[in-house]
Amino acid sequence: MENSAVNEIPFANISEQYTEARLLLREALKATGRVYLSSRFDDHFFTLSNTEQLDLLQDLERWSKLILEFVASGGNHKKTKDIFRYYLSRLNFSAPESFINQIQDGDVVEIFGSDNRRLFANPELFDFSSYAPDVMFSGQWWNLYERDSVISDKLQEIGYETFMGLNKATLKPNIPTHTVKEIRSQGRYVSEVQIRAVAPITIGTTVVAVAALETFRLLEGALPLHTHS
C-alpha cells in the first residue's frame, strides 16, 4: 500500500521535480562530454505510481549529482575505475577489489538493486543506449532488453544467488558474448555485450546490490549523436 503522504504530493509538484531532475541530468552528461538526446521520450515517468516516481527522481538526482561532484573535484570522467570507486565511497558501498581491479577505461559498469532496477552506470552506458532516463532507471532490466532466453535465465539466477549470499566474491559468469536489443526505446539500439565479471555490492556484510562489468560494442544505433565531438 502506498504511503498517504506520497499520495498527497500534487501532480504539478511531481512534474516540476521531474523537469528539474532532467535539467540536472543534462548538466551531468554535459560534464562528461555528452548531450541529452531530445528525441528521447520521457512520458513513461507519468505512467508510474507516486512511489515509483519518487524513487526514480531520487535515483536520477543521485546519479547526476555524483557525476557533477566527481568532475568538480577534479575527477576524470573517462577513468571508469575512479568514477566507480567514487560512487561506492559516497554511498558507503563496498565491492571486491578483485572486481574493481578488472575495470578498464571504456568499460560499462552497472549496479542493480534487489528490485532489479539500475542504480548506477558509468556515463559510457549512454553511448550504447537510446532509452530515456526515466526508463533506464525505472525499468527492470529484463523488461528493457531482448537477449537469448538461456542467457537471461542465467543472469537472473546469478542475481538471485548473489542476493542470497551464495556468491560472496567476484564471479566470472560462464556467459558467451551475445547480442542485446532494446525493446522499449525510440532508437531500438542493438549491441554486442560481454559480461566479464559479476560481484556483490555490500554495506558491511549485507548484500544491497549486484554489479556487472561489461564490454559493449554498438551494432545498430546512432552513437555520434551522443557526444559533442
Side-chain angles (χ1 to χ4, degrees):
M1 180 178 297
E2 292 181 1
N3 186 291
S4 59
V6 171
N7 287 326
E8 292 171 0
I9 295 176
F11 177 81
N13 189 36
I14 284 285
S15 182
E16 181 179 316
Q17 289 182 52
Y18 185 51
T19 298
E20 293 175 355
R22 287 170 60 188
L23 290 173
L24 188 64
L25 175 67
R26 284 181 171 87
E27 289 303 308
L29 289 175
K30 183 178 179 181
T32 70
R34 292 171 174 82
V35 294
Y36 177 88
L37 294 183
S38 60
S39 61
R40 288 173 168 152
F41 295 117
D42 298 286
D43 55 354
H44 172 72
F45 177 80
F46 299 103
T47 69
L48 302 174
S49 69
N50 285 336
T51 299
E52 291 171 329
Q53 287 176 338
L54 290 175
D55 287 343
L56 175 57
L57 288 171
Q58 182 182 60
D59 292 342
L60 285 178
E61 291 175 358
R62 179 192 296 119
W63 187 90
S64 301
K65 288 178 180 178
L66 284 169
I67 296 298
L68 288 168
E69 290 172 4
F70 176 76
V71 174
S73 68
N76 183 343
H77 64 83
K78 295 182 179 180
K79 296 296 182 181
T80 308
K81 187 182 298 184
D82 291 351
I83 207 167
F84 181 67
R85 284 190 184 277
Y86 186 81
Y87 175 83
L88 295 178
S89 67
R90 295 289 283 114
L91 275 73
N92 295 317
F93 287 172
S94 296
E97 282 297 316
S98 56
F99 179 87
I100 297 174
N101 289 337
Q102 294 183 55
I103 298 174
Q104 302 174 15
D105 296 343
D107 286 341
V108 171
V109 182
E110 300 184 80
I111 298 177
F112 293 90
S114 59
D115 59 0
N116 295 292
R117 290 190 307 114
R118 184 182 283 114
L119 297 178
F120 172 83
N122 58 307
E124 274 71 15
L125 179 63
F126 282 88
D127 296 342
F128 304 98
S129 177
S130 67
Y131 274 118
D134 63 329
V135 182
M136 286 179 67
F137 285 90
S138 68
Q140 294 177 317
W141 60 266
W142 56 73
N143 290 324
L144 300 180
Y145 304 100
E146 177 184 285
R147 68 182 88 205
D148 183 278
S149 60
V150 174
I151 292 176
S152 184
D153 290 345
K154 180 64 175 178
L155 289 173
Q156 291 189 52
E157 178 185 344
I158 291 172
Y160 174 78
E161 291 179 347
T162 302
F163 276 110
M164 291 296 292
L166 301 178
N167 297 328
K168 299 182 182 298
T170 302
L171 172 70
K172 183 177 181 180
N174 185 25
I175 294 176
T177 300
H178 58 280
T179 299
V180 173
K181 300 178 181 179
E182 296 179 349
I183 56 177
R184 296 180 57 195
S185 68
Q186 173 74 1
R188 294 292 198 273
Y189 282 13
V190 179
S191 295
E192 182 181 79
V193 179
Q194 179 187 17
I195 303 175
R196 304 206 315 270
V198 175
I201 300 295
T202 58
I203 296 179
T205 59
T206 302
V207 178
V208 294
V210 176
L213 174 60
E214 303 156 324
T215 301
F216 271 70
R217 183 168 72 92
L218 191 65
L219 302 178
E220 298 178 24
L223 180 59
L225 295 178
H226 290 74
T227 56
H228 292 293
S229 60

